[in-house]
Amino acid sequence: MGGVSAILLARLRDGLVLAAAGGKADDTVTRVLQSGQIKPDTQLTVALGGSKGHLHLSASAATVFLVLAPDQYPRRHALRLLGELSAWAGGKISDESVAGAQGEGALNAETKFFFKSCLQRYKGEGAPSSSGGASGSGGDGDGDTRVDEVKLQIEEVKATMHQNIEKVMD
């Protein structure tokens, strides 16, 4: 079945894709973004037809996160990922940076590491996967959850460091 194949971040007011990982917006995704039907504080799932799968999206006041996944991918996992993306963006990406972004991919540097780590964790057939293999503890899996949390924090620190380096270089 496979898991999440792409994560995109778009500006709500005009549908401009500001960041993407795993793939780009095709014509169907672009039409959904530019339809004017996406309202702030909404979550939708759109069947793309054929073998394209489903487009899961979550809109805030200024942004829309989109997750592309196969038809059989559990909606609850896609919504969990959208929640993680929104929570992360709340502390990392300001509405001003979204409004002032110029051109497609303008926020790729800020999102690259976090989006890639999300793609890796949600690449399986449902629940987020841990990339460390078996935990070896034989326990109930709480260790894997903590490891995933620490990996996420590491990715956030890397993204922040990358942003700081970019600022210094500019």
Side-chain angles (χ1 to χ4, degrees):
M1 165 175 66
V4 171
S5 60
I7 298 172
L8 298 101
L9 168 64
R11 188 165 44 208
L12 181 61
R13 69 176 155 88
D14 60 5
L16 179 66
V17 176
L18 301 173
K24 293 186 176 186
D26 65 6
D27 291 338
T28 307
V29 173
T30 302
R31 278 186 272 140
V32 168
L33 284 170
Q34 296 175 348
S35 70
Q37 299 300 313
I38 304 171
K39 305 298 181 212
D41 302 317
T42 59
Q43 289 185 331
L44 300 170
T45 298
V46 178
L48 298 176
S51 61
K52 292 184 178 182
H54 284 101
L55 181 66
H56 305 274
L57 58 93
S58 179
S60 68
T63 60
V64 181
F65 280 102
L66 303 101
V67 171
L68 185 61
D71 291 335
Q72 301 83 12
Y73 193 76
R75 184 171 189 261
R76 68 183 178 279
H77 296 307
L79 294 178
R80 184 185 326 161
L81 172 55
L82 288 168
E84 285 182 36
L85 292 166
S86 296
W88 174 84
K92 301 290 182 185
I93 300 174
S94 69
D95 288 349
E96 293 79 22
S97 66
V98 170
Q102 301 287 324
E104 187 170 332
L107 299 179
N108 273 337
E110 289 87 345
T111 62
K112 181 169 117 178
F113 295 112
F114 185 72
F115 280 14
K116 285 186 178 182
S117 75
C118 287
L119 279 175
Q120 284 188 332
R121 287 185 296 112
Y122 284 84
K123 69 183 173 188
E125 297 184 2
S129 60
S130 63
S131 56
S135 65
S137 65
D140 58 357
D142 287 340
D144 288 342
T145 302
R146 180 67 185 139
V147 169
D148 288 340
E149 289 174 10
V150 170
K151 286 180 182 179
L152 179 62
Q153 289 173 343
I154 289 169
E155 291 302 321
E156 289 176 358
V157 169
K158 285 181 183 178
T160 301
M161 290 173 58
H162 183 72
Q163 286 176 319
N164 292 341
I165 291 169
E166 289 293 322
K167 287 178 186 175
V168 169
M169 298 300 283
D170 290 341

